[in-house]
Each structure stands twice: as C-alpha cells, then as structure tokens.
Amino acid sequence: MRAAATPPLSSGILTDVGRQRRGRANEDAALALDLPRGGLYAVADGMGGHAAGELAANLALDTLSQHYLRGRGAPPVRLAEAVQAANLAVLRHAVGEYAGMGTTLLALLVDRGAAIIAHVGDSRAYLLREGELHRLTDDHSWVAEQVRLGNLSEEEARHHQWRSVVSNALGGEERVRLELFGLPLRAGDRLLLCSDGLSGAVTDAALLELLLRPQPPEVLVRSLVNAANDAGGADNITVIVVDVPRDQRLPHYTLPPRQVDGPLYVDMLLSAQRGSSPLTYVLLILAYFTLLGMILVPEQRTAIGLLGVVLLGGVLVAQRVTRARLGRPPPRPAPLRAAAPPERAARKSSG
C-alpha cells in the first residue's frame, strides 16, 4: 500500500520476496500513509504458513491504518488503540486453516516534529542522525534476549537455529503487548523500518554505510533490498526509509517515554497515556492561587500577577528543556531474562 509523497517528509517503500523464496507468497507487508502533519508507516512480517502469514500481515496493516484514521484523542493513544485493533483482527481470523497465524508489527507515526514508534516482534527501527546509526528497537525474540544477557554474540544469533522464534506477535492473545515511545526529530534525520529479511542478512555496520549514501529514499530502498539479496536473500525483505528535511515544532502532547522493562500490555499503556499530566495540575494550581491572591489582596495584585506569570513561565521553560533532552535517541531497554523459548513464542516460516 502506498500513497503519494507529502512535504515535509520524503519516503521510499519496497518489499521483495527474497532470492530463496521466488515463486512463493510474500509474507511481509508494508504501509506508507500520508497524513496532514506527517505520515504513518508500518512493516508487518506474517507467520503461520505462507497463505496465513500473507493474510495476517496485510490484515494487520489494513486494520491499523483504518482504525488510526477513525480514531480520536492524542496520536499516541490512537496508535496504541490501532495496534490493539490489528491484534484482534488477526486473532479473530486465526481459525480453521488459519489457526495459529500471527504477524509482527512495527509502526512509525511522524507527527510534526515528533516520531512515535509502536513495536511488536522482531522488525526493526533505526535512526541515522549526524552520521551515527542508532537502533531504536530491540527484537522481541528468545535469541535477542540471549544476546542482551551476553549468552550469545550478534554473529551467533544471526545463524542460530531459533533465530526465527519470536516471543511477541499480533494474534497470540486478546491484549497485545507492545512498546510505545516517542522522540523529537531533527532536520537531516533518516529513519529506517525493516523486517528481519534485511536486518538478519545485513550487519548494522553495512546498514550505516548504505544509509549514508546521498540517495533519495525511493532509490535507497532498492539498494537496501539488493544488499539483503546479495547476502543470500533467505527471507522476505521489506524496507521503508523516511527522510526529515527540516525542523518542525513538537506537538502539544507529551511524548510517551521508553519502557525500560520491554513490552507492556496495551491497557497499561493506554491508562498511562490517558492519565492527566502532572504538569497540567501544577499549571492549574499556580493559576488558581495567582487569581485567588489578586482577589484577596487587591493592593498587591500587580505584584502577585507578575509573580504568577514568572512561575508559570518557569514551569513551561522547564518542560521545554526536558523535551529538548528527549531529542537524543531513546536508550536501549534493560535485559529481559529468559532461559528457554517462551511458551507463547512463535516460529516464522523458514527456508
């Protein structure tokens, strides 16, 4: 699915069946949807057999886009709700010949000067900023957990027999577990979303070299797919590249912070996002006491009013400073402990 490009973003999108799967269904799917203040981009990697995997991936992205466009409220809430809707759509179709199907889902919402990421599974998001490549997501897989624990090296994980076992996917249970976080964007940022058909075949060092090329996104995605196929093309390959050509102001809402303990159930995330911000209470209290003081002590109302304005301004400046610090790429989450593949793990099709 592809919509026309919209300023101020430039994007490229490409999915390929892979060199070793010619003649078979592509279980990957991709979405690029232009929005008035940015865009919604997503990658899904289906599982459960070729027909089921293809259905799950496309069903998830169709539901994601439709539910987000119909949703109300702050964009982070709408995005989390859309992921949950996609989860239920896959779960309800996983019957009969499609029993056991599922899909990973990685979504990027660009809203003015902010990026919000919703992550389920082992597709990856990267940020190229000022010549440095930052991996924004960690895989939800048993092998990735062993790497974080120091039991496997990145190279060992790349060739491990359980590398296709994911510990989190859409369609596994009623409530989806996901990571939801945001970060401010800067002019010159380049974002990459990809399925493990790319990240499993091309090292991060090679990705950096490719992403540094001065190619437009629609050309660069072909270079990235070619690199994965040149490395063997063992899996379906899906790539989305989004360039941010200029700075934009941040949206008015607070960006969701990175979860240090990995994915959380969607209802917990929504409760946190819908809760009133402590800053709102502080501002209301300051405004209330300022007005009250001006009424009770009219001879000092000018001084009280000025003091109230100074305090309100100080709180708002502190908020801006905090947001600016969020401009750094979010830290990687703390290790998740696991000694064996989780019971709800699912293996994607191989070979």
Side-chain angles (χ1 to χ4, degrees), residues 1 8 37 43 50 58 61 74 80 141 174 183 196 217 242 245 249 258 272 275 296 310 319 327 334 338:
M1 291 168 282
R37 302 189 307 188
V43 170
H50 302 301
N58 284 282
L61 295 190
S141 69
E174 288 281 344
L183 69 156
D196 66 336
V242 181
R249 63 187 179 91
R258 183 63 183 265
L296 295 178
V310 169
Q319 181 195 32

Side-chain angles (χ1 to χ4, degrees), residues 18 67 116 145 177 179-180 189 195 223 229 290 294 325-326 338 350:
H67 198 93
I116 303 165
E145 289 166 3
R177 294 182 301 128
E179 292 186 80
L180 181 75
D189 282 351
S195 65
S223 298
N229 276 324
T290 298
M294 293 171 67
R325 288 175 179 170
L326 286 173
S350 59

Side-chain angles (χ1 to χ4, degrees), residues 158-241:
R158 192 178 298 277
H159 303 287
H160 199 280
Q161 60 177 336
W162 288 342
R163 65 187 180 277
S164 296
V165 176
V166 294
S167 56
N168 191 26
L170 300 191
E173 52 187 313
E174 288 281 344
R175 294 182 303 159
V176 68
R177 294 182 301 128
L178 75 153
E179 292 186 80
L180 181 75
F181 61 92
L183 69 156
L185 295 172
R186 300 176 186 171
D189 282 351
R190 171 167 278 181
L191 293 151
L192 166 67
L193 305 184
C194 65
S195 65
D196 66 336
L198 177 67
S199 59
V202 181
T203 65
D204 285 3
L207 285 178
L208 173 60
E209 182 179 346
L210 289 164
L211 290 169
L212 284 171
R213 292 181 178 179
Q215 295 177 330
E218 61 270 21
V219 175
L220 181 57
V221 291
R222 170 52 66 186
S223 298
L224 290 162
V225 168
N226 288 343
N229 276 324
D230 290 343
D235 201 353
N236 304 146
I237 308 156
T238 298
V239 179
I240 298 176
V241 174

